[in-house]
Amino acid sequence: MTSKERNKFLRGAIFLMATSAIGPAFLTQTASFTQDYMASFAFAIVASLVIDIGVQLNIWRVISVSGQRGQEIANKVLPGLGYLVAGLIIFGGFAFNIGNLGGAGLGLNVLFDLPVEIGAIIITVFTIIIFSVRHFGRIMDVIVQIAGVVMILMTGYVMLNTDPPYTEALVQTIFPEENYVVLLLPLVTIVGGTVGGYISFAGGHRLVDAGITGKENVGFVSNASVLGILTTGVMRVFLFLMFLGVVTSGITLDENNPAATPFLYALGDVGYYMFGIVLTFAAISSVIGVAYTSISFLRSFHPIFEKYNGWFIAGFITISSLIFIAIGEPVTLLILAGAVNGMILPIVLTTILIASRKKSIVGDYRHPTWLLVFGAITVLFTIGASIIAFEEIVALWFN
């Protein structure tokens, strides 16, 4: 593989991971939590980015060095564990995809005044068409890169127009007014929304499919994982400041479509249509990332999953769409999806940390001790935070 080809796949992996995280759930979570916690939410955002980098470095390095997907690694750690991990990832993927399709419906509702359910069906058909193309990986890479750039530029522009209190946000990054324990629910949720469940494997599996594996590519893969998180981080900071600028001005976010309010407040009708574009792009790229990565966890279990990979992806998207149409409640689903994936994270990360020390998986590669310690702390923290936040997550569902 030439350097140019490798860089092309690198960009694809970075944006697949980043845009998978920057979905409708990402927008809705950030809107809701900024309104609830105001500038204190800055602490959760920065803490989540630090955790995300540690998680991605651990997972991407081990996947790349081993040249194996997550479920294959898990089965070598403990026979049968790969099936459990695959089941958890696919369950979390469904939770996210149902919410993503709800977000897609909201986006097309803004642009064309379509019923939310009809919008979800249109995006379902569009993404299925993408995966029906023989070399869908190349098309997927281009779409997620375009989507990522459009979302960052538009959100950055709106952020500047909302005039957020930058100094207050910076101070509360370290010294939030809210109790640190209270901030555990949003922290678990947004960690789950950026590296929980399937998202942490999205870029890594894309690199394995591209053949960018082995110890010789460790540095290259490490840079890719950090760039992916930083890309997500830029968008998250822009979104937070954008929402903070609005809520500190005394504006209440629309409870049915909270992420739309800053766009409408800052730029009027033009901004509202910009929001429709951002949300639709976010939905399409996230549906692609969820479906591609979730089904990649089945590909090594039986030749039929490899042979008909595109069809299984299409089925995954279709089932997600049908569940959304039956359930509704897109805003609640989008927040719950992040929380569910945040609770899955300790299981998959523990598996990867054990794998990093097994020669049968990584050969003579020596995983850095600081990364192992960082990962272990993250596991313990996310377990504790998930237990503490569980009651609020249940309350969110039943309320």
Coordinates of all heavy atoms in Angstrom, one line a residue, residues 123-193:
I123 N -34.0 8.3 5.2 CA -32.6 8.1 5.5 C -32.3 6.6 5.6 O -31.2 6.2 5.2 CB -32.2 8.7 6.9 CG1 -32.4 10.3 6.8 CG2 -30.8 8.4 7.3 CD1 -31.6 11.0 5.7
T124 N -33.2 5.8 6.0 CA -33.0 4.3 6.0 C -32.8 3.8 4.6 O -31.8 3.1 4.3 CB -34.3 3.6 6.5 OG1 -34.5 4.0 7.9 CG2 -34.1 2.1 6.5
V125 N -33.6 4.3 3.6 CA -33.5 3.8 2.2 C -32.1 4.4 1.7 O -31.4 3.6 1.0 CB -34.6 4.4 1.4 CG1 -34.4 4.1 -0.1 CG2 -35.9 3.7 1.9
F126 N -31.8 5.6 1.9 CA -30.6 6.2 1.4 C -29.3 5.4 1.9 O -28.4 5.1 1.1 CB -30.5 7.7 1.8 CG -29.2 8.4 1.4 CD1 -29.0 8.7 0.1 CD2 -28.2 8.6 2.4 CE1 -27.8 9.3 -0.3 CE2 -27.0 9.2 2.0 CZ -26.8 9.6 0.6
T127 N -29.2 5.1 3.2 CA -28.1 4.4 3.7 C -28.0 3.0 3.2 O -26.9 2.5 3.0 CB -28.0 4.5 5.2 OG1 -29.3 4.1 5.7 CG2 -27.7 5.9 5.7
I128 N -29.2 2.4 3.0 CA -29.2 1.0 2.5 C -28.6 1.0 1.1 O -27.9 0.1 0.7 CB -30.6 0.4 2.6 CG1 -31.0 0.1 4.0 CG2 -30.7 -0.8 1.7 CD1 -32.4 -0.4 4.2
I129 N -29.0 2.0 0.3 CA -28.5 2.1 -1.1 C -26.9 2.2 -1.1 O -26.2 1.5 -1.9 CB -29.1 3.3 -1.8 CG1 -30.6 3.1 -2.1 CG2 -28.3 3.6 -3.1 CD1 -31.3 4.3 -2.6
I130 N -26.4 3.0 -0.2 CA -24.9 3.1 0.0 C -24.3 1.7 0.2 O -23.3 1.3 -0.5 CB -24.5 4.0 1.1 CG1 -24.9 5.5 0.8 CG2 -23.0 4.0 1.4 CD1 -24.8 6.4 1.9
F131 N -24.8 1.0 1.1 CA -24.2 -0.3 1.4 C -24.5 -1.4 0.4 O -24.0 -2.5 0.5 CB -24.7 -0.8 2.8 CG -24.0 0.0 3.9 CD1 -24.8 0.8 4.7 CD2 -22.7 -0.2 4.2 CE1 -24.2 1.5 5.8 CE2 -22.1 0.5 5.2 CZ -22.8 1.4 6.0
S132 N -25.4 -1.1 -0.5 CA -25.7 -2.1 -1.6 C -24.7 -2.0 -2.7 O -24.6 -2.9 -3.5 CB -27.1 -1.9 -2.2 OG -27.2 -0.7 -2.8
V133 N -23.9 -1.0 -2.7 CA -22.8 -0.8 -3.7 C -21.7 -1.7 -3.4 O -21.3 -1.9 -2.2 CB -22.3 0.7 -3.8 CG1 -21.2 0.8 -4.8 CG2 -23.5 1.6 -4.2
R134 N -21.1 -2.3 -4.4 CA -20.0 -3.3 -4.2 C -18.9 -2.8 -3.3 O -18.5 -3.4 -2.4 CB -19.5 -3.9 -5.5 CG -18.5 -5.0 -5.4 CD -18.1 -5.6 -6.7 NE -17.2 -6.7 -6.5 CZ -16.6 -7.3 -7.5 NH1 -17.0 -7.0 -8.8 NH2 -15.8 -8.3 -7.3
H135 N -18.3 -1.7 -3.7 CA -17.2 -1.1 -2.9 C -17.7 0.0 -2.1 O -17.2 1.2 -2.2 CB -16.1 -0.6 -3.9 CG -15.5 -1.7 -4.8 ND1 -14.7 -2.8 -4.2 CD2 -15.6 -2.0 -6.1 CE1 -14.4 -3.6 -5.2 NE2 -14.9 -3.1 -6.4
F136 N -18.6 -0.3 -1.2 CA -19.2 0.7 -0.4 C -18.3 1.4 0.6 O -18.5 2.5 1.0 CB -20.4 0.2 0.4 CG -20.1 -0.9 1.4 CD1 -19.6 -0.6 2.6 CD2 -20.4 -2.2 1.1 CE1 -19.3 -1.5 3.6 CE2 -20.2 -3.2 2.1 CZ -19.6 -2.8 3.3
G137 N -17.1 0.8 0.9 CA -16.2 1.4 1.9 C -15.6 2.7 1.4 O -15.5 3.7 2.1
R138 N -15.4 2.8 0.1 CA -14.8 4.0 -0.5 C -15.8 5.1 -0.4 O -15.5 6.3 -0.1 CB -14.4 3.8 -1.9 CG -13.3 2.8 -2.1 CD -13.0 2.4 -3.5 NE -12.1 1.3 -3.7 CZ -11.7 0.7 -4.8 NH1 -12.3 1.2 -6.0 NH2 -10.9 -0.3 -4.9
I139 N -17.1 4.8 -0.8 CA -18.2 5.8 -0.7 C -18.4 6.3 0.7 O -18.6 7.4 1.0 CB -19.5 5.2 -1.3 CG1 -19.3 4.9 -2.8 CG2 -20.6 6.2 -1.2 CD1 -20.4 4.1 -3.4
M140 N -18.4 5.3 1.6 CA -18.5 5.6 3.0 C -17.5 6.6 3.5 O -17.8 7.5 4.2 CB -18.5 4.3 3.8 CG -18.6 4.4 5.3 SD -18.6 2.8 6.1 CE -16.9 2.3 5.9
D141 N -16.2 6.4 3.2 CA -15.1 7.2 3.6 C -15.4 8.7 3.1 O -15.1 9.6 3.9 CB -13.8 6.7 3.1 CG -13.3 5.4 3.8 OD1 -13.9 5.1 4.9 OD2 -12.4 4.8 3.3
V142 N -15.8 8.8 1.9 CA -16.0 10.2 1.3 C -17.1 10.9 2.0 O -17.0 12.0 2.4 CB -16.3 10.1 -0.2 CG1 -16.7 11.4 -0.7 CG2 -15.0 9.6 -0.9
I143 N -18.2 10.2 2.2 CA -19.4 10.8 2.8 C -19.2 11.2 4.3 O -19.5 12.3 4.6 CB -20.6 9.8 2.8 CG1 -21.1 9.6 1.4 CG2 -21.8 10.3 3.7 CD1 -22.2 8.6 1.2
V144 N -18.5 10.4 5.1 CA -18.2 10.8 6.5 C -17.3 11.9 6.6 O -17.4 12.8 7.5 CB -17.8 9.6 7.3 CG1 -18.8 8.5 7.4 CG2 -16.5 9.0 6.8
Q145 N -16.3 12.0 5.6 CA -15.4 13.2 5.6 C -16.1 14.5 5.3 O -15.9 15.5 6.0 CB -14.2 12.9 4.7 CG -13.2 11.9 5.1 CD -12.1 11.6 4.1 OE1 -11.4 12.5 3.7 NE2 -12.0 10.4 3.7
I146 N -16.9 14.4 4.3 CA -17.7 15.6 3.9 C -18.6 16.0 5.1 O -18.7 17.2 5.4 CB -18.5 15.4 2.6 CG1 -17.6 15.2 1.4 CG2 -19.5 16.5 2.4 CD1 -18.3 14.8 0.2
A147 N -19.3 15.1 5.6 CA -20.2 15.3 6.7 C -19.5 16.0 7.9 O -20.0 16.9 8.5 CB -20.9 14.0 7.2
G148 N -18.3 15.4 8.3 CA -17.6 16.0 9.4 C -17.2 17.4 9.2 O -17.3 18.3 10.1
V149 N -16.7 17.8 8.0 CA -16.2 19.1 7.7 C -17.4 20.1 7.8 O -17.3 21.2 8.4 CB -15.5 19.2 6.4 CG1 -15.2 20.6 6.0 CG2 -14.2 18.4 6.5
V150 N -18.5 19.7 7.1 CA -19.7 20.6 7.1 C -20.2 20.8 8.5 O -20.5 22.0 8.9 CB -20.8 19.9 6.2 CG1 -22.1 20.7 6.4 CG2 -20.4 19.9 4.8
M151 N -20.3 19.8 9.3 CA -20.8 20.0 10.7 C -19.9 20.9 11.5 O -20.4 21.8 12.2 CB -21.0 18.6 11.4 CG -22.1 17.8 10.8 SD -22.4 16.3 11.8 CE -21.0 15.3 11.4
I152 N -18.6 20.7 11.4 CA -17.7 21.5 12.2 C -17.8 23.0 11.8 O -17.9 23.9 12.7 CB -16.3 21.0 12.2 CG1 -16.2 19.7 12.9 CG2 -15.3 22.0 12.7 CD1 -14.8 19.0 12.7
L153 N -17.7 23.3 10.5 CA -17.8 24.6 10.0 C -19.0 25.4 10.4 O -19.0 26.5 10.9 CB -17.5 24.7 8.5 CG -16.1 24.3 8.0 CD1 -16.1 24.3 6.5 CD2 -15.1 25.2 8.6
M154 N -20.2 24.7 10.2 CA -21.5 25.3 10.5 C -21.7 25.6 12.0 O -22.1 26.7 12.4 CB -22.6 24.5 9.9 CG -22.8 24.6 8.4 SD -24.4 23.8 7.9 CE -24.4 24.3 6.2
T155 N -21.3 24.6 12.8 CA -21.4 24.8 14.2 C -20.5 25.8 14.8 O -20.9 26.6 15.6 CB -21.2 23.4 14.9 OG1 -22.0 22.4 14.4 CG2 -21.4 23.5 16.4
G156 N -19.3 25.9 14.3 CA -18.3 26.9 14.7 C -18.9 28.3 14.4 O -18.7 29.2 15.2
Y157 N -19.5 28.5 13.2 CA -20.0 29.8 12.8 C -21.1 30.2 13.7 O -21.2 31.3 14.2 CB -20.5 29.7 11.3 CG -21.1 31.0 10.8 CD1 -20.3 32.1 10.5 CD2 -22.4 31.1 10.6 CE1 -20.8 33.3 10.1 CE2 -23.0 32.3 10.2 CZ -22.2 33.4 9.9 OH -22.7 34.5 9.4
V158 N -22.0 29.3 14.0 CA -23.2 29.6 14.9 C -22.7 29.9 16.3 O -23.2 30.8 17.0 CB -24.2 28.4 14.9 CG1 -25.3 28.7 15.9 CG2 -24.8 28.2 13.5
M159 N -21.7 29.2 16.8 CA -21.1 29.4 18.1 C -20.6 30.8 18.2 O -20.9 31.5 19.3 CB -19.9 28.4 18.4 CG -19.2 28.6 19.7 SD -17.5 28.0 19.7 CE -16.7 29.2 18.7
L160 N -19.9 31.3 17.3 CA -19.4 32.7 17.3 C -20.5 33.7 17.4 O -20.4 34.8 18.0 CB -18.5 33.0 16.1 CG -17.2 32.2 16.0 CD1 -16.5 32.4 14.7 CD2 -16.3 32.5 17.1
N161 N -21.7 33.4 16.8 CA -22.8 34.3 16.8 C -23.6 34.3 18.1 O -24.5 35.1 18.2 CB -23.7 34.0 15.6 CG -23.1 34.6 14.3 OD1 -23.4 35.7 14.0 ND2 -22.4 33.8 13.6
T162 N -23.4 33.3 18.9 CA -24.2 33.2 20.2 C -23.4 33.9 21.3 O -24.0 34.1 22.4 CB -24.5 31.7 20.6 OG1 -23.2 31.0 20.8 CG2 -25.3 31.0 19.6
D163 N -22.2 34.3 21.1 CA -21.4 35.0 22.1 C -21.4 34.4 23.5 O -21.9 35.0 24.5 CB -21.9 36.5 22.2 CG -21.0 37.4 23.0 OD1 -19.7 37.1 23.0 OD2 -21.4 38.4 23.6
P164 N -20.8 33.2 23.6 CA -20.9 32.5 24.9 C -19.9 33.1 25.9 O -18.9 33.7 25.5 CB -20.4 31.0 24.5 CG -19.6 31.2 23.3 CD -20.2 32.4 22.5
P165 N -20.1 32.8 27.2 CA -19.1 33.3 28.2 C -17.9 32.4 28.3 O -17.8 31.5 29.1 CB -20.0 33.2 29.5 CG -20.9 32.1 29.3 CD -21.2 32.2 27.8
Y166 N -16.9 32.7 27.5 CA -15.7 31.8 27.4 C -15.0 31.7 28.7 O -14.6 30.6 29.1 CB -14.8 32.4 26.3 CG -15.3 32.4 24.9 CD1 -15.8 33.6 24.4 CD2 -15.4 31.3 24.1 CE1 -16.3 33.7 23.1 CE2 -15.9 31.3 22.9 CZ -16.4 32.5 22.3 OH -16.9 32.6 21.1
T167 N -14.8 32.8 29.4 CA -14.0 32.8 30.7 C -14.7 31.9 31.7 O -14.0 31.1 32.4 CB -13.8 34.2 31.2 OG1 -13.2 35.0 30.2 CG2 -12.9 34.2 32.5
E168 N -16.0 32.1 31.9 CA -16.7 31.3 32.9 C -16.6 29.8 32.6 O -16.4 29.0 33.5 CB -18.2 31.7 32.9 CG -19.0 31.0 33.9 CD -20.5 31.4 33.9 OE1 -20.8 32.3 33.1 OE2 -21.3 30.8 34.6
A169 N -16.7 29.5 31.3 CA -16.6 28.1 30.9 C -15.2 27.5 31.2 O -15.1 26.4 31.7 CB -16.9 27.9 29.4
L170 N -14.2 28.3 30.9 CA -12.8 27.9 31.2 C -12.6 27.6 32.7 O -12.0 26.6 33.1 CB -11.8 28.9 30.7 CG -10.4 28.6 30.8 CD1 -10.0 27.4 30.0 CD2 -9.5 29.8 30.3
V171 N -13.1 28.5 33.5 CA -12.9 28.4 35.0 C -13.6 27.1 35.5 O -13.0 26.3 36.3 CB -13.4 29.6 35.7 CG1 -13.5 29.4 37.2 CG2 -12.5 30.8 35.4
Q172 N -14.8 26.9 35.0 CA -15.6 25.8 35.5 C -15.2 24.5 34.9 O -15.7 23.4 35.3 CB -17.1 26.0 35.3 CG -17.6 27.2 36.1 CD -19.1 27.1 36.4 OE1 -19.7 26.1 36.7 NE2 -19.8 28.3 36.3
T173 N -14.3 24.5 34.0 CA -13.6 23.3 33.5 C -12.9 22.5 34.6 O -12.9 21.3 34.6 CB -12.6 23.6 32.4 OG1 -13.3 24.2 31.2 CG2 -11.9 22.4 31.9
I174 N -12.4 23.3 35.5 CA -11.7 22.7 36.7 C -12.5 22.9 38.0 O -12.5 21.9 38.8 CB -10.3 23.4 36.8 CG1 -9.5 23.3 35.6 CG2 -9.5 22.8 38.0 CD1 -8.2 24.0 35.6
F175 N -13.2 24.0 38.1 CA -13.9 24.2 39.4 C -15.4 24.5 39.1 O -15.9 25.6 39.1 CB -13.3 25.5 40.1 CG -11.9 25.4 40.4 CD1 -11.0 26.1 39.7 CD2 -11.4 24.5 41.4 CE1 -9.6 26.1 39.9 CE2 -10.0 24.4 41.7 CZ -9.1 25.2 40.9
P176 N -16.1 23.4 38.8 CA -17.5 23.5 38.4 C -18.4 23.9 39.6 O -18.0 23.6 40.8 CB -17.9 22.1 37.9 CG -17.0 21.2 38.6 CD -15.7 22.0 38.7
E177 N -19.4 24.7 39.4 CA -20.3 25.1 40.5 C -21.1 23.9 41.0 O -21.5 23.8 42.1 CB -21.3 26.2 40.0 CG -20.6 27.5 39.8 CD -21.5 28.6 39.4 OE1 -22.8 28.3 39.2 OE2 -21.1 29.8 39.2
E178 N -21.4 23.0 40.1 CA -22.2 21.7 40.4 C -21.2 20.8 41.2 O -20.0 20.8 41.0 CB -22.7 21.0 39.2 CG -23.8 21.8 38.5 CD -25.2 21.5 39.1 OE1 -25.2 20.8 40.2 OE2 -26.2 22.1 38.6
N179 N -21.8 20.0 42.0 CA -21.1 18.9 42.7 C -20.5 17.9 41.7 O -21.2 17.6 40.7 CB -22.1 18.2 43.7 CG -21.3 17.2 44.5 OD1 -20.8 16.2 44.1 ND2 -21.3 17.5 45.8
Y180 N -19.3 17.5 41.9 CA -18.7 16.5 41.0 C -19.5 15.3 40.8 O -19.6 14.7 39.7 CB -17.2 16.2 41.4 CG -16.3 17.3 41.3 CD1 -15.9 18.0 42.5 CD2 -15.7 17.7 40.1 CE1 -15.0 19.1 42.4 CE2 -14.8 18.7 40.0 CZ -14.4 19.4 41.2 OH -13.5 20.5 41.1
V181 N -20.1 14.8 41.9 CA -20.9 13.5 41.8 C -22.1 13.7 40.9 O -22.5 12.9 40.1 CB -21.3 13.1 43.2 CG1 -22.3 11.9 43.1 CG2 -20.1 12.8 44.1
V182 N -22.7 14.9 41.0 CA -23.9 15.2 40.1 C -23.5 15.2 38.7 O -24.4 14.8 37.8 CB -24.4 16.6 40.5 CG1 -25.5 17.1 39.5 CG2 -25.0 16.6 41.9
L183 N -22.3 15.5 38.3 CA -21.8 15.5 36.9 C -21.5 14.1 36.4 O -21.1 14.0 35.2 CB -20.6 16.4 36.8 CG -20.9 17.9 37.1 CD1 -19.6 18.7 37.1 CD2 -21.8 18.5 36.0
L184 N -21.6 13.1 37.2 CA -21.3 11.7 36.7 C -22.3 11.3 35.6 O -21.8 10.6 34.7 CB -21.3 10.8 37.9 CG -20.1 10.9 38.9 CD1 -20.3 9.9 40.0 CD2 -18.8 10.7 38.1
L185 N -23.6 11.6 35.8 CA -24.5 11.1 34.7 C -24.2 11.7 33.4 O -24.0 10.9 32.4 CB -25.9 11.5 35.1 CG -27.0 11.2 34.0 CD1 -27.0 9.7 33.6 CD2 -28.4 11.7 34.4
P186 N -24.0 13.0 33.2 CA -23.6 13.5 31.9 C -22.2 13.0 31.5 O -22.0 12.8 30.3 CB -23.6 15.1 32.1 CG -23.5 15.3 33.6 CD -24.2 14.1 34.2
L187 N -21.3 12.8 32.4 CA -20.0 12.3 32.0 C -20.1 10.9 31.5 O -19.5 10.6 30.4 CB -19.0 12.4 33.2 CG -17.6 11.9 33.0 CD1 -17.0 12.6 31.9 CD2 -16.8 12.0 34.3
V188 N -20.8 10.0 32.2 CA -20.9 8.6 31.7 C -21.6 8.7 30.3 O -21.2 7.9 29.4 CB -21.8 7.8 32.6 CG1 -22.1 6.5 32.0 CG2 -21.0 7.5 33.9
T189 N -22.6 9.5 30.2 CA -23.4 9.6 28.9 C -22.5 10.0 27.7 O -22.6 9.5 26.7 CB -24.6 10.5 29.1 OG1 -25.4 10.0 30.2 CG2 -25.4 10.5 27.8
I190 N -21.8 11.1 27.9 CA -21.0 11.6 26.8 C -19.8 10.8 26.5 O -19.3 10.7 25.4 CB -20.6 13.1 27.0 CG1 -19.8 13.4 28.2 CG2 -21.9 14.0 27.0 CD1 -19.4 14.8 28.4
V191 N -19.2 10.1 27.5 CA -18.2 9.1 27.2 C -18.7 8.0 26.4 O -18.1 7.6 25.4 CB -17.5 8.6 28.5 CG1 -16.7 7.3 28.3 CG2 -16.7 9.7 29.2
G192 N -19.9 7.5 26.8 CA -20.6 6.5 26.0 C -20.9 7.0 24.6 O -20.9 6.2 23.6
G193 N -21.2 8.3 24.5 CA -21.5 8.8 23.1 C -20.3 9.0 22.2 O -20.5 9.2 21.0

